[in-house]
Amino acid sequence: MSISERSMPPLAADERTSLESWLDFYRATLVQKCAGLPEERLREASAAPSSITLLGLVQHAAAVERNWFRRVLVQEDVPRLYAPAEESGGVEGSGGGGHDGGFELAEDATYGSAVAVWGEEVRRGRENCAGRGLDDTSPFMGGEVTLRWIYTHMIGEYARHCGHADLIRERIDGRTGV
């Protein structure tokens, strides 16, 4: 199955399979919300007063994938994606105001580029999770965070932003549903 193909998560599965399946379901949902739109519509903030766009949501998803599955889970020293230069060193969730990276669009930002970066971050995240147990921990904000917590957080993150994508897409061309 490709990263953008969406399968209903199994109704009866072990915890890890359930968590990974729901995360993959929402990942694919976000990409499907963008399908078939021309570039200019993906850049359109259609739900005023919000400035969020479908392209910005894909960039943001790439940024949070990198943050949680690389920077936090395996403590990889990689810069934040799409962050202003003065903010690129901070870890998401460590304080500071404003949105996390990705929502603001560079003039040369394209959907093709954003979805490629996102796909690579998803691939790297899956690799980093593969050998870990749900109760394995990583240092975070002066304490420890489990892989289970990260999966649960990411499911919530994607579910929330898929709701935003639903509204944005409906305002653009009337398309609804998952």
Side-chain angles (χ1 to χ4, degrees):
M1 179 171 80
S2 80
I3 198 167
S4 62
E5 292 179 45
R6 190 177 71 175
S7 296
M8 177 68 178
L11 299 176
D14 62 88
E15 181 181 17
R16 185 180 193 115
T17 300
S18 293
L19 290 169
E20 290 175 347
S21 296
W22 276 108
L23 181 54
D24 284 342
F25 176 85
Y26 285 120
R27 285 169 169 157
T29 299
L30 181 60
V31 172
Q32 286 183 2
K33 287 294 170 186
C34 300
L37 286 175
E39 197 73 35
E40 66 273 7
R41 302 305 302 262
L42 292 165
R43 300 177 70 88
E44 187 176 316
S46 66
S50 175
S51 61
I52 295 175
T53 66
L54 290 171
L55 177 55
L57 286 171
V58 173
Q59 288 185 163
H60 177 69
V64 296
E65 290 274 353
R66 172 176 284 198
N67 186 67
W68 286 105
F69 294 123
R70 294 177 68 186
R71 298 181 75 218
V72 174
L73 183 66
V74 298
Q75 301 291 295
E76 186 177 347
D77 186 19
V78 292
R80 289 177 52 190
L81 285 174
Y82 310 112
E86 67 274 7
E87 295 179 15
S88 63
V91 173
E92 178 189 328
S94 62
H99 291 299
D100 299 318
F103 290 115
E104 295 177 13
L105 304 179
E107 282 189 36
D108 62 348
T110 66
Y111 179 71
S113 173
V115 82
V117 169
W118 171 80
E120 178 60 16
E121 292 302 326
V122 169
R123 185 191 69 74
R124 294 287 299 271
R126 286 179 176 151
E127 279 180 4
N128 290 343
C129 293
R132 297 177 180 275
L134 293 175
D135 291 322
D136 288 357
T137 60
S138 297
F140 182 64
M141 294 180 61
E144 298 286 317
V145 63
T146 64
L147 176 56
R148 176 184 290 103
W149 190 97
I150 293 171
Y151 274 147
T152 303
H153 173 76
M154 289 296 289
I155 290 165
E157 179 86 12
Y158 271 98
R160 178 174 52 258
H161 291 315
C162 284
H164 297 142
D166 279 338
L167 292 172
I168 294 167
R169 181 65 188 253
E170 183 175 6
R171 298 274 308 191
I172 289 172
D173 67 0
R175 182 173 162 213
T176 61
V178 290

